[in-house]
Amino acid sequence: MSTPLHYLSVRELSRLIHRRDLSPIELWDHCLARADTFDPDLNAFRLIPGNRAGARARQTETALGRGEPAGPLHGIPYAVKDLIDVKGLPTTAGSSLLADNIAGADAAVVERLDAAGMVLMGKTNMVQFAYGGAGVNHDHGTPRNPWASEHHLPGGSSSGSAVAVAAGLVPAALGTDTGGSVRIPASLCGITGLKTTVGQVSRAGVYPLSKSLDSVGPLCRTVEDAALLYAAMAGPDPRDDSTRGRDPRDVLGNLAAGVKGMRIAFAERTFWDDADPEVAAAVRAAGKVLAELGAQVESIEFPEAERARTLNPKGLVIAAEAYAVNRGWVDDHLDELDPIVGTRLTAGRSISSADYLETVDAWDRLRAETMETLRGWDALLCPTTPIAAKPLAAADEDLETYLAHNLLYLRNTTVGNILGLCALSVPCGFTSEGLPIGLMIYGAGFSEDLILQVGHAYQEATDWHRRVPPLD
């Protein structure tokens, strides 16, 4: 049985478009019809500017007809998390308070994907101000994880982007990752998500949460798709100081080179605490697949993970920076904020400059030590999240219950942000309840090429990423 059009990868759709077996207009119409059918229930999208997107699809079709140069992303629809600016559209960052925040220009990543020929389909729902890993939004509504009939957590904060890709509403989407916000929803929704190293992809035109940790990354069906979008977005941008002098590595040249001879390790201890046995077993099995493909797979102690946790008391750095960005909303409109987000943002008020600077300095020292530990290792493996998606009602019963779930979902991913790593989450199995399990592949900062190479080899040898939710 052939794969339905809406579940094809970006690469597969691109081949059809370039063979002229599929037009960008036909693909756009198909995605729009599917969103019309399923999104009223899923709530993945904040808005879909149909006339604008349709016109863009026609432009890409015309360009093909004229024989103009066209790359692998030409004519492919995508969506962006609603904290990424799109000229003329509101950037709400998940809050009704920003309903009139109309962007005057496109974000850098939108500019670059537009230059690559992509078709922007719409903006996706998210956790308010991107401040949460479980995916809950009491203002705009929490997107529904498509893998369960009962409303389950989608993961956050890039919740709508992950749901849209997982449900086949769009083949690719952008999210941001400050403490796991690309990887957590990718894991819970059974798709691929890339957390890029800060400095590789410009954040210009992206509503900030934490200047120290924010990164932009793709959510897609496959690792190859993630590499294609990364390659189009990465590179220096004078509007984002973190990217200056940072030439991105070629992530496509050796993508299919395999893992033979690579040194890969399970990062033990912290990442496995309180992990569901089914999650742990699936991730361990992924290591066996990589070993069978020729990688040298071992286990190492990775004490830096626990030290990163102890150097992040109550999310001190993010709390301080998030409060600085959103001080006006917190101080003057606290009663209008999502109660969960308001509680977390308020914590930033009481953080002293001395504590903040001391923590940042300690992070810098720990990052240097981590680079030494990782010397000689190509990648580390661990569960993306210790548990799979939980029912929304159970996880959001009260503030204390939510915070406990949120902390557990963020536990493994936040470590990578603090340590300055890049990371990839790929599907590696399912629980007995049919919920996706994510394998996280960590790499040293600026080694996106290596972790994508590992992830691609794993997906070429398995079919977890080809499974689709029970919607149709």
Side-chain angles (χ1 to χ4, degrees):
M1 182 177 177
S2 61
T3 303
L5 186 65
H6 43 271
Y7 286 132
L8 292 179
S9 69
V10 168
R11 175 63 85 182
E12 290 166 335
L13 291 168
S14 179
R15 292 190 181 110
L16 292 175
I17 288 172
H18 281 78
R19 292 202 307 258
R20 307 309 300 270
D21 291 332
L22 174 69
S23 79
I25 297 173
E26 291 171 335
L27 179 56
W28 152 247
D29 286 342
H30 184 86
C31 289
L32 180 61
R34 188 162 176 85
D36 286 343
T37 299
F38 291 102
D39 200 51
D41 177 54
L42 295 172
N43 193 35
F45 280 96
R46 172 98 304 255
L47 59 87
I48 298 176
N51 291 337
R52 173 183 179 145
R56 174 61 178 159
R58 288 189 289 274
Q59 287 177 353
T60 61
E61 173 63 20
T62 299
L64 284 174
R66 291 174 177 168
E68 296 178 11
L73 298 178
H74 191 90
I76 302 295
Y78 76 108
V80 298
K81 184 178 183 178
D82 193 21
L83 48 53
I84 297 174
D85 283 348
V86 177
K87 185 177 180 179
L89 299 181
T91 299
T92 75
S95 173
S96 296
L97 291 170
L98 290 168
D100 297 325
N101 181 35
I102 307 301
D106 287 338
V109 288
V110 174
E111 290 177 354
R112 292 187 177 184
L113 294 183
D114 183 77
M118 295 195 81
V119 177
L120 180 65
M121 180 171 174
K123 306 193 76 176
T124 55
N125 280 315
M126 54 177 283
V127 174
Q128 193 172 86
F129 297 130
Y131 208 0
V136 176
N137 187 318
H138 294 116
D139 187 353
H140 289 167
T142 300
R144 182 174 75 79
N145 192 317
W147 286 95
S149 56
E150 179 186 357
H151 198 157
H152 276 53
L153 293 171
S157 62
S158 308
S159 49
S161 289
V163 170
V165 173
L169 310 187
V170 69
L174 297 186
T176 58
D177 194 311
T178 306
S181 291
V182 163
R183 291 161 289 159
I184 297 169
S187 178
L188 269 55
C189 291
I191 60 172
T192 299
L194 174 65
K195 177 237 176 279
T196 60
T197 312
V198 174
Q200 289 292 72
V201 177
S202 175
R203 302 168 299 181
V206 178
Y207 192 95
L209 175 64
S210 167
K211 183 178 181 179
S212 299
L213 301 176
D214 290 345
S215 63
V216 180
L219 295 114
C220 310
R221 307 211 69 81
T222 70
V223 172
E224 183 179 22
D225 291 354
L228 288 170
L229 266 74
Y230 169 84
M233 294 188 295
D237 179 5
R239 294 165 293 182
D240 183 348
D241 289 345
S242 72
T243 68
R244 292 184 179 179
R246 298 287 191 185
D247 291 328
R249 295 189 186 186
D250 174 16
V251 297
L252 297 173
N254 290 321
L255 185 66
V259 295
K260 187 175 182 179
M262 276 190 162
R263 297 191 70 214
I264 299 172
F266 284 109
E268 301 295 352
R269 299 174 61 182
T270 297
F271 295 119
W272 304 86
D273 292 345
D274 301 316
D276 183 293
E278 290 183 314
V279 171
V283 174
R284 296 289 184 188
K288 293 180 181 179
V289 171
L290 293 170
E292 291 168 356
L293 293 173
Q296 178 184 337
V297 180
E298 302 178 20
S299 290
I300 63 169
E301 294 294 309
F302 191 56
E304 289 85 355
E306 184 58 32
R307 290 175 61 193
R309 292 184 64 198
T310 60
L311 286 175
N312 189 38
K314 298 183 179 179
L316 183 150
V317 171
I318 296 178
E321 295 183 349
Y323 174 67
V325 170
N326 297 291
R327 178 181 298 185
W329 301 121
V330 178
D331 293 349
D332 301 331
H333 300 275
L334 183 60
D335 60 340
E336 299 173 66
L337 294 177
D338 187 318
I340 290 173
V341 176
T343 297
R344 301 191 75 198
L345 285 172
T346 303
R349 282 174 171 165
S350 59
I351 296 169
S352 70
S353 57
D355 286 343
Y356 172 82
L357 292 172
E358 181 180 329
T359 301
V360 171
D361 286 344
W363 282 11
D364 287 341
R365 293 191 297 271
L366 182 58
R367 288 178 176 184
E369 293 175 23
T370 301
M371 293 299 288
E372 287 300 313
T373 298
L374 294 181
R375 193 178 301 278
W377 295 100
D378 295 299
L380 301 181
L381 308 178
C382 67
T384 306
T385 62
I387 58 174
K390 294 295 183 182
L392 174 63
D396 195 32
E397 183 177 1
D398 52 47
L399 182 59
E400 183 179 358
T401 302
Y402 167 83
L403 291 175
H405 280 84
N406 191 60
L407 185 63
L408 189 55
Y409 282 119
L410 287 163
R411 200 266 313 279
N412 289 2
T413 54
T414 302
V415 166
N417 300 82
I418 294 170
L419 297 180
L421 308 178
C422 60
L424 180 71
S425 181
V426 297
C428 68
F430 289 81
T431 69
S432 55
E433 295 179 331
L435 298 169
I437 297 170
L439 162 70
M440 186 149 58
I441 305 168
Y442 267 132
F446 306 103
S447 65
E448 281 83 356
D449 56 330
L450 294 180
I451 63 171
L452 288 165
Q453 188 175 331
V454 173
H456 181 67
Y458 177 74
Q459 287 191 337
E460 288 289 285
T462 60
D463 69 353
W464 301 115
H465 62 290
R466 296 191 178 279
R467 302 196 182 187
V468 298
L471 289 177
D472 299 281

